[in-house]
Amino acid sequence: MSQQLDLASLLAHPANGGLRPVAGTDDSPWSDVVVDSVEARLTAQGDATTDSALGILTVEPPPTSWQQDALIRRVRDRGYRALAMPGADHFGAGSRILADRIGLMLLNTDDPMVLAKACWQLLEGRDALTLGYVRRVAQSIEYHADNLADLLRHLSSSVGHGIALIDAEGVLLQAGGGLPDAVHAAIDFGPWLDTVTVADGSAASVHVDSPSRAGLRLAFFGAGLSALQLSALAVAAEVAMPAVAARILIDEVADVNDAAVASALMRDFLEHRDGRDAELEQRMVDRGWRTSGHHLGFRIVGRTRVDTFQLLRFVTRELGSLPMDSHAVMTGSGLIGWLSFTSPQSPSEVEAHVAALRAVHTATRRGFNVATGIGSPENGSAGLVTTIAGARDAARIAVDRSATGWFVRIDALGLEQLLLSWTESDTFVPAAQSLLAPLVSAAPELLPTLTAYLDHESGIAATADALGLHRNTVSARIARTQELLGLDLGDPEVRLALHLACRAVRG
């Protein structure tokens, strides 16, 4: 045989006959592999101090300890540094110590002939090893896969190594283990094919030819892989890639359709907020949307043009790491979403949830120019509508708030700021009525006086002339208005908000 074989690559082989170490620590490469059913027919390897070979016996070890010791000595004297056989686990403790002392590694194999085939592939059968991987990939593709994750599971299980769909930022999906960070960092995203080996493991990756998602690679990975195995896995990855790319497209079409259905469902829910619709509520339950309980809404909106579907994909992935029930749907130029809880949340818990959403916002802004608004905690189906409406209002303000990092929480805003944001929403009139309710209940003349006062640019004399009142009367009414509302009419923003509210209430 012209190559050398090491234990790590043999253990990494997906079809190694159930190989596992039993005793011995000398794992230096082997220059030859000999298979036989009788220990006496194992070919002598010459100088036992320099040569190294793996012997494979197809029979179990003898039952007594002295016979086991004798077998170990004879195999080592013939120049072998490793012995694999079925039932090697039955070697006694004394025999294992002896093997370790004289430099013979003992290996257990459930199927010696399968192990021998794996050794041949790694030493001489480069094409056979590659063909074996390719055949397993083809068999995996023949199976029906429910989605991309299911396809990756099939591929990993058949090939016998981990598999991951990655981009430059990290791992998007994986099966059969976790791709080490150091391996991901070493992968070159430029060439069509790439193989890397670092201390933490190895990977063979190929560029994924996907028209909708640039910068993807498909990687087979594992520990202890030899250069021969990496080369074979690179071919396997190249064969698997078209099926993965096609599955990405199929799933993406399905995801777009599902996102459109979810968006329409949320629109129907918000439009029917004043009445119960059993069929609508059942559709929401079927999607896993719980309207009962307690909710915290949020709105993420593009400050410039954004791909809302890709935004939804990213935000959904970020929300998936939060230890709570979360949902997000596309709407308009961004998303609306909410967190749901079975019990009321304490102020400290609400603060923690807001902080988590801020972290999602920060991560999202690395790839999307967005602003985020957070609603107030609310309860029940009507509360879900309210918190989403509040989040929309907060997002409308957040678009212009660079000082807050384009992140605004509605509970941190003054009512006058909310009124300015609400003028374009159907929540403006109820909010205006709520703001001015103290005037209506205290004295019917206060609201008309305030309206005239604001119409005449806060001029006492002009207001008195318009209403046919004495200026002292107007001054008294305005002072009373400020007292009832608790607002400073000297603030231009307050005056603007009140003016808008007066116009809305008086029609």
Side-chain angles (χ1 to χ4, degrees):
M1 294 188 176
S2 58
Q3 304 292 326
Q4 282 193 321
L5 176 65
D6 63 84
L7 177 63
S9 59
L10 193 53
L11 290 173
H13 195 292
N16 59 19
L19 186 69
R20 58 185 180 274
V22 173
T25 57
D26 183 2
D27 58 355
S28 56
W30 305 307
S31 59
D32 199 2
V33 177
V34 180
V35 185
D36 212 311
S37 60
V38 180
E39 166 265 324
R41 290 204 294 260
L42 289 179
T43 306
Q45 298 299 303
D47 186 355
T49 64
T50 58
D51 288 350
S52 176
L54 166 65
I56 301 177
L57 292 178
T58 60
V59 296
E60 293 194 358
T64 63
S65 59
W66 70 268
Q67 290 174 313
Q68 293 175 2
D69 290 351
L71 171 64
I72 289 171
R73 289 186 179 277
R74 287 195 300 270
V75 171
R76 182 67 189 93
D77 288 343
R78 286 191 176 91
Y80 292 87
R81 291 191 178 275
L83 173 65
M85 59 193 307
D89 289 337
H90 298 154
F91 276 101
S95 297
R96 297 187 190 197
I97 293 173
L98 172 63
D100 187 42
R101 180 166 58 82
I102 66 175
L104 180 71
M105 175 171 281
L106 295 179
L107 302 165
N108 188 92
T109 175
D110 299 328
D111 193 326
M113 299 314 297
V114 171
L115 173 60
K117 181 180 178 181
C119 292
W120 173 75
Q121 288 179 336
L122 292 174
L123 283 165
E124 297 288 352
R126 177 186 297 270
D127 292 341
L129 180 63
T130 301
L131 182 60
Y133 280 138
V134 170
R135 183 181 294 114
R136 295 187 188 102
V137 167
Q139 290 171 343
S140 298
I141 294 172
E142 290 178 358
Y143 285 102
H144 168 73
D146 295 330
N147 48 44
L148 179 58
D150 195 30
L151 175 59
L152 294 186
R153 284 192 294 270
H154 279 308
L155 286 167
S156 174
S157 177
S158 295
V159 174
H161 297 289
I163 186 170
L165 183 68
I166 61 176
D167 61 15
E169 297 297 321
V171 175
L172 304 178
L173 280 174
Q174 60 187 345
L179 179 68
D181 292 340
V183 177
H184 177 271
I187 291 174
D188 187 348
F189 279 75
W192 178 260
L193 284 173
D194 180 60
T195 59
V196 298
T197 297
V198 296
D200 291 347
S202 306
S205 67
V206 62
H207 170 79
V208 176
D209 190 13
S210 173
S212 60
R213 300 182 66 182
L216 298 182
R217 294 188 76 86
L218 182 68
F220 283 108
F221 61 90
L225 297 172
S226 67
L228 180 63
Q229 287 170 297
L230 280 177
S231 177
L233 283 173
V235 176
E238 197 169 11
V239 172
M241 184 276 291
V244 171
R247 188 72 243 188
I248 289 173
L249 183 59
I250 293 170
D251 287 359
E252 196 157 89
V253 170
D255 289 345
V256 169
N257 291 337
D258 185 68
V261 170
S263 180
L265 177 58
M266 177 51 61
R267 183 174 61 250
D268 291 345
F269 171 70
L270 296 176
E271 289 177 352
H272 287 78
R273 63 184 182 275
D274 295 328
R276 290 181 59 84
D277 185 321
E279 188 271 338
L280 177 63
E281 290 193 3
Q282 184 58 50
R283 286 162 54 201
M284 295 184 73
V285 170
D286 291 342
R287 289 197 69 88
W289 295 358
R290 185 175 66 245
T291 58
S292 60
H294 300 261
H295 313 284
L296 181 65
F298 61 90
R299 163 75 161 156
I300 301 177
V301 61
R303 298 184 64 249
T304 54
R305 186 180 182 88
V306 297
D307 184 331
T308 53
F309 178 70
Q310 295 301 331
L311 176 62
L312 175 64
R313 184 195 298 273
F314 181 87
V315 170
T316 300
R317 190 172 70 185
E318 291 294 310
L319 291 173
S321 64
L322 302 182
M324 61 197 72
D325 189 14
S326 60
H327 307 281
V329 297
M330 295 188 305
T331 175
S333 59
L335 314 175
I336 58 174
W338 65 100
L339 309 179
S340 292
F341 313 93
T342 57
S343 59
Q345 301 296 285
S346 67
S348 61
E349 289 174 322
V350 172
E351 292 299 325
H353 302 326
V354 172
L357 290 174
R358 180 183 286 276
V360 171
H361 165 77
T362 300
T364 304
R365 277 198 55 79
R366 296 190 187 105
F368 303 88
N369 185 14
V370 296
T372 300
I374 307 297
S376 57
E378 302 290 346
N379 180 36
S381 179
L384 178 56
V385 174
T386 300
T387 189
I388 289 174
R392 280 173 161 170
D393 298 331
R396 201 172 286 124
I397 293 175
V399 167
D400 298 316
R401 290 291 182 92
S402 60
T404 62
W406 294 281
F407 182 92
V408 168
R409 179 180 175 184
I410 197 165
D411 290 347
L413 295 173
L415 187 53
E416 64 274 12
Q417 293 173 309
L418 296 184
L419 284 170
L420 287 171
S421 72
W422 281 339
T423 55
E424 298 178 1
S425 73
D426 55 8
T427 57
F428 175 64
V429 172
Q433 292 171 337
S434 175
L435 174 64
L436 299 174
L439 304 185
V440 176
S441 60
E445 69 276 5
L446 293 180
L447 180 56
T449 302
L450 175 62
T451 303
Y453 174 74
L454 296 171
D455 284 342
H456 290 85
E457 299 180 355
S458 305
I460 294 293
T463 303
D465 291 342
L467 296 177
L469 300 171
H470 192 279
R471 286 187 294 178
N472 291 344
T473 303
V474 173
S475 296
R477 289 182 181 179
I478 295 302
R480 177 64 172 155
T481 295
Q482 290 192 104
E483 179 184 343
L484 289 170
L485 296 181
L487 298 174
D488 178 12
L489 290 178
D491 186 329
E493 285 195 0
V494 172
R495 289 200 304 273
L496 175 58
L498 284 174
H499 202 181
L500 293 171
C502 290
R503 287 180 176 273
V505 170
R506 291 178 62 83

